[in-house]
Amino acid sequence: MSDLLTTDVLTALIAGGILAGVPLLFASLGEMVAERAGVLNIGLEGYMLIGAYFGFLVAYHGGNTFLGFLGGAAAGAAVSLIMVALCVQMGLDQIVVGIAITLVAEGATALIFDANFAESRPTLGATGRIDIPGLSQLPVVGGADTSDGSIFSQPPIVYIGLIIVALTAWTLRRTHWGLNIRAAGDKPSALDAAGVSVVATRAWATIFCGAMAGLGGAYLSITAAGLFEDFITQGRGFIAIVLAMLARGKALWVLIGSFVFGISLSISDVLQIAGVDISTDLVFMLPFVTVIVVLILFGRRSYLPAALALPYVRGAR
Amino acid sequence: MNEPIHNTTSRDHGPETIPVVELRGITKAFPGVLANDHIDLALRGGEVHCLLGENGAGKSTLMSILSGMVQPDEGDIRVHGEPTRLASPKRAIEMGIGMVYQHTTLVPTLTVLDNLMMGALGTFRLDEAGSRARLAEVAGMLGVDVDPDAETATLALGQQQQIEIIKALWRGSKVLILDEPTSMLTPRGVEELARALERLKGHGMAVVLITHKLHEATSMGDRVTVLKQGRVVGRLEPDELRGRSHDELQPVIVAMMFGEQEEAEPELVELQEHVVPVRGARELPREALLELVDVHVAPRGGELGVRGVDLSVRPGEILGIAGVDGNGQRELAEAIAGQRHVSSGEIRFQSLHIDRLSVWQRERMGLRYVSDDRMGEGTVAALPVGLNLVLKRIGQAPFWRRGSIRHAEIERNAREKIEEFAIRTPGPGTRIGTLSGGNIQKVVLARELAHEPKLVVYNKPTYGLDIVTTRTVRERIEALAAEGVSALVISTDLDELVALCDRIAVISRGRIAGIVENGAGAAQRVGELMVGGQAEVA
Ligand SMILES: Nc1ncnc2c1ncn2[C@@H]1O[C@H](COP(=O)(O)OP(=O)(O)OP(=O)(O)O)[C@@H](O)[C@H]1O
Ligand SMILES: [Mg+2]
């Protein structure tokens, strides 16, 4: 038992939680914002997959990780336009369209990847890390005396993620965009009566969601794996939807939730370090078991905007 | 946007001044109904223009056209004499038209300030300090006091309405449209509103007031237009209004609203006025049908809850619950109906403990509830009228047989109710959400009063109903009482309670402040109890 609590193991657990939590963080942050505006993106998994593929493609051809992230975000945003057109504008069922997006994205990315890279199966080099001066030298948490990475030495995209979380929280709370988004999900007719376009508000929130999910997907292929493979997201999009719902519209809870789920995703590595030998099948199930346990414990806590997934048509009654 | 107001004192200039807003030949058809049929209307600064008409006459539709929510099929709109297309609410707001809709447009989860800041232009960051100042200014102009940081859902309806008005004035409107603002207010609230409107008139605003209460029209209105089935059927000019007393005007307006057939019925005229015939004491069975013993109901966000209520209702008795809205009325009603748990105390119905019974079981026992939330829990907007009429009988004979729905039965039932309650709808298959507010209420009533009720809890039963329908509903409550069906009537309208009830209980801060036998002087004693209850809080 004592093996489990060595500093090595703890640091690896936390560092691993951060790494595995980042894609969840981006995706669930985007989903949280879209949900607050009243749009349920069941297609989140699809946005992530497309982001993962195109992020990888751009990073590979452009030779630059950052271009890759931008490419992933742009691709995710582009796919979310389907949602904007069909659901936000035309009022089709958000769940049906969302499932379709995920299914199509799965097939399409596998197909184009095979067509382009079936033979070569290229990989990207490891990404650099940025040390936070001082903190990264700390013992234990700073990782100074461990073999594995430090908590305060992360790829730049992790810091960018934290900044985006803070900016999102501020925007939701302090700006007109944020206020419009909050109103669009709870009572779109009120927003419309106040002279703000419900469709535009929801459209931008959805595009933001697409971009964030695409970024999360790109992180998976570029930073976490260094390569693309079929269904690389492995259900993370769906976990992110659950996280967004449990976060009750608060960016801080998205952050905390992503980290907790990140830990459950990265626990297999940690168990290896600790020398514990469990069937990998069990370990892979862990995140989903966590989802179920968390839902049982906190499911009642979830807050969903009143007009979530309901199309808005002016004057219809 | 801030053009000078052209005619601040039009009353002195007479009708030849340019109206702030002019509607000409406005026509709007919905599937199966012509909601507006070539309507002309002119709104002048410094005037309150009352728009009257039965349920479904087209008042809300016409005003929604003016607020940019609904696009007319035909006709043109002039603002300050300029032809204008009000393509969206945004455009209407820019043109200085502010509207308080019949159904609330506040976001319940947001604070008062957030609701007011919504849609403001110019800045990216929310201008909290500026908005607080603006709130103080507008609230001062109206003479009301509001807490900017309160969550909107926690406020009483009267306060919410003040916020709606502030919101409508927020961006410097010159036209203020109020769609049935008084239906939820107590007499005090109505007085406050009347004073606020006086002040707004003094600022040169053009006000449109939609109401079903004729004395409000004659006391607050400078001009009256009456609609019927989408058409203008009568107008009263300022000089016709000013010279005459309320009693003289009443019959004239009623004749316009309902045509000749109703004119002959004098009691209709009195109906909403002063206190009409107080019920004589009746012989009622001794034993109680419904009994509440020290009932407590836990409050939910911002509510007061119920804090120890004892009540008993005898068979055939009509018990009124008077009080300012938001003093625990809804919690009490929901506890009786079974929609909420009683945290302590007992509810007995026909001597049986029903605390643990489901809504459905209680409804089978003959306990019914007419909610005041007709849009939310009362009906399912997307379902047709016919299905809404049998909503609480899903799966049961005769509307369902062996698990399959019997459309013919549902349709037959619907036609019967539509006839009986004079529900204005294109047909049983029309989605209920498209009916006018008053007609939705009729559907709820028709449903709850079906299938042998024993006791009906009514929460504001005549709210939003026109005079004729109000009378029908009250007569029905009385007729049922004569057959032994009890009623618990919750209302903020004291006149209604005095006209209807055997006894009146006053609720204040979740407790019963006192119970008054109806009879001479009852209204005054109830009024005192209401005030006393309020004073206790302060
Ligand atoms: N969006 C809509 N779709 C279909 N029918 C509608 C719609 N809006 C209004 N109507 C119909 O138009 C008619 C006029 O409705 P409106 O709401 O204007 O009446 P109203 O005079 O305001 O009545 P009330 O006093 O009951 O509020 C009604 O028959 C209603 O069913
Ligand atoms: Mg109306």
Side-chain angles (χ1 to χ4, degrees), chain B residues 39-41 49-53 223-237 240 252-259:
Chain B
I39 294 185
D40 297 331
L41 192 76
H49 194 135
C50 282
L51 203 52
L52 307 177
R223 208 180 273 273
V224 170
T225 296
V226 181
L227 297 188
K228 185 178 183 187
Q229 292 179 15
R231 253 175 264 143
V232 176
V233 291
R235 297 182 198 272
L236 289 171
E237 300 295 320
E240 293 174 90
V252 180
I253 298 177
V254 171
M256 285 177 183
M257 284 175 76
F258 299 100

Side-chain angles (χ1 to χ4, degrees), chain A residues 197-273:
Chain A
S197 163
V198 175
V199 168
T201 305
R202 289 183 164 180
W204 284 115
T206 307
I207 292 169
F208 174 75
C209 173
M212 287 295 108
L215 192 55
Y219 175 94
L220 282 176
S221 59
I222 297 172
T223 306
L227 52 82
F228 183 84
E229 60 195 7
D230 294 355
F231 198 45
I232 189 173
T233 49
Q234 294 182 336
R236 283 180 176 79
F238 290 103
I239 294 181
I241 294 174
V242 173
L243 278 177
M245 289 182 169
L246 290 173
R248 315 187 96 194
K250 297 276 186 288
L252 181 66
W253 282 104
V254 168
L255 187 67
I256 294 169
S258 304
F259 178 62
V260 170
F261 274 88
I263 287 181
S264 84
L265 282 168
S266 66
I267 218 153
S268 62
D269 303 342
V270 175
L271 290 179
Q272 266 175 11
I273 293 177

Side-chain angles (χ1 to χ4, degrees), chain A residues 315-317, chain B residues 30-31 33-36 53-62 102 179-180 210 212 424-426 431 433-439 464:
Chain A
R317 41 181 216 180
Chain B
F30 289 111
V33 259
L34 194 52
N36 287 172
E54 60 185 349
N55 292 128
K59 307 178 293 292
S60 299
T61 304
L62 185 65
Q102 187 167 6
D179 195 349
E180 293 189 32
I210 298 180
H212 286 297
R424 265 193 213 288
T425 165
R431 286 195 308 116
T434 68
L435 300 196
S436 79
N439 283 298

Side-chain angles (χ1 to χ4, degrees), chain B residues 144-156:
Chain B
V144 299
D145 191 23
V146 292
D147 172 8
D149 300 310
E151 192 184 300
T152 313
T154 67
L155 300 177

Side-chain angles (χ1 to χ4, degrees), chain B residues 515-532:
Chain B
I515 301 183
V516 175
E517 284 289 333
N518 202 355
Q524 201 193 335
R525 286 213 304 289
V526 170
E528 283 164 10
L529 280 170
M530 281 170 69
V531 174

Side-chain angles (χ1 to χ4, degrees), chain A residues 57-271:
Chain A
L57 195 71
V58 173
Y60 178 67
H61 288 301
N64 179 317
T65 344
F66 259 93
L67 279 183
F69 287 133
L70 285 180
V79 185
S80 71
L81 289 177
I82 299 174
M83 192 76 185
V84 169
L86 295 184
C87 297
V88 176
Q89 280 182 331
M90 293 166 60
L92 299 193
D93 190 282
Q94 296 184 2
I95 294 175
V96 173
V97 174
I99 292 174
I101 289 177
T102 298
L103 292 178
V104 170
E106 246 175 67
T109 49
L111 204 68
I112 13 181
F113 180 72
D114 274 353
N116 291 327
F117 301 107
E119 304 301 309
S120 53
R121 302 237 162 224
T123 52
L124 299 170
T127 30
R129 288 167 178 260
I130 295 180
D131 298 347
I132 297 180
L135 290 180
S136 58
Q137 305 310 315
L138 285 177
V140 190
V141 289
D145 53 356
T146 63
S147 50
D148 209 45
S150 154
I151 293 165
F152 296 102
S153 166
Q154 298 289 348
I157 189 74
V158 174
Y159 304 114
I160 292 175
L162 292 176
I163 293 169
I164 294 180
V165 168
L167 274 180
T168 305
W170 180 81
T171 306
L172 279 177
R173 180 73 204 85
R174 298 281 164 203
T175 70
H176 278 288
W177 284 2
L179 181 55
N180 294 348
I181 284 172
R182 286 183 280 153
D186 266 328
K187 193 149 190 177
S189 58
L191 186 65
D192 194 22
V196 181
S197 163
V198 175
V199 168
T201 305
R202 289 183 164 180
W204 284 115
T206 307
I207 292 169
F208 174 75
C209 173
M212 287 295 108
L215 192 55
Y219 175 94
L220 282 176
S221 59
I222 297 172
T223 306
L227 52 82
F228 183 84
E229 60 195 7
D230 294 355
F231 198 45
I232 189 173
T233 49
Q234 294 182 336
R236 283 180 176 79
F238 290 103
I239 294 181
I241 294 174
V242 173
L243 278 177
M245 289 182 169
L246 290 173
R248 315 187 96 194
K250 297 276 186 288
L252 181 66
W253 282 104
V254 168
L255 187 67
I256 294 169
S258 304
F259 178 62
V260 170
F261 274 88
I263 287 181
S264 84
L265 282 168
S266 66
I267 218 153
S268 62
D269 303 342
V270 175
L271 290 179

Side-chain angles (χ1 to χ4, degrees), chain A residues 12-36:
Chain A
L13 197 63
I14 296 174
I18 294 175
L19 283 184
V22 168
L24 290 177
L25 176 66
F26 283 119
S28 56
L29 188 72
E31 174 61 11
M32 182 271 282
V33 169
E35 279 180 14
R36 285 208 91 169

Side-chain angles (χ1 to χ4, degrees), chain B residues 83-198:
Chain B
T84 309
R85 206 170 84 81
L86 301 170
S88 66
K90 182 167 181 225
R91 185 84 187 110
I93 294 169
E94 283 166 5
M95 296 311 294
I97 298 168
M99 172 140 172
V100 176
Y101 293 88
Q102 187 167 6
H103 301 291
T104 172
T105 57
L106 297 175
V107 183
T109 49
L110 297 183
T111 65
V112 170
L113 204 60
D114 279 345
N115 265 298
L116 293 171
M117 290 189 293
M118 201 180 351
L121 308 162
T123 57
F124 175 64
R125 275 192 69 164
L126 293 170
D127 177 15
E128 284 213 15
S131 302
R132 277 173 207 277
R134 174 81 181 137
L135 174 58
E137 184 187 340
V138 181
M141 182 162 94
L142 282 171
V144 299
D145 191 23
V146 292
D147 172 8
D149 300 310
E151 192 184 300
T152 313
T154 67
L155 300 177
L157 284 168
Q159 281 171 303
Q160 292 196 17
Q161 191 169 57
Q162 292 173 346
I163 293 155
E164 297 256 21
I165 296 176
I166 293 174
K167 193 174 137 197
L169 297 174
W170 195 250
R171 289 189 246 168
S173 314
K174 288 181 275 319
V175 179
L176 174 66
I177 304 165
L178 302 168
D179 195 349
E180 293 189 32
T182 57
S183 50
M184 282 286 197
L185 298 182
T186 56
R188 259 250 318 278
V190 176
E191 271 169 40
E192 279 170 18
L193 181 71
R195 271 201 299 278
L197 293 189
E198 270 310 309

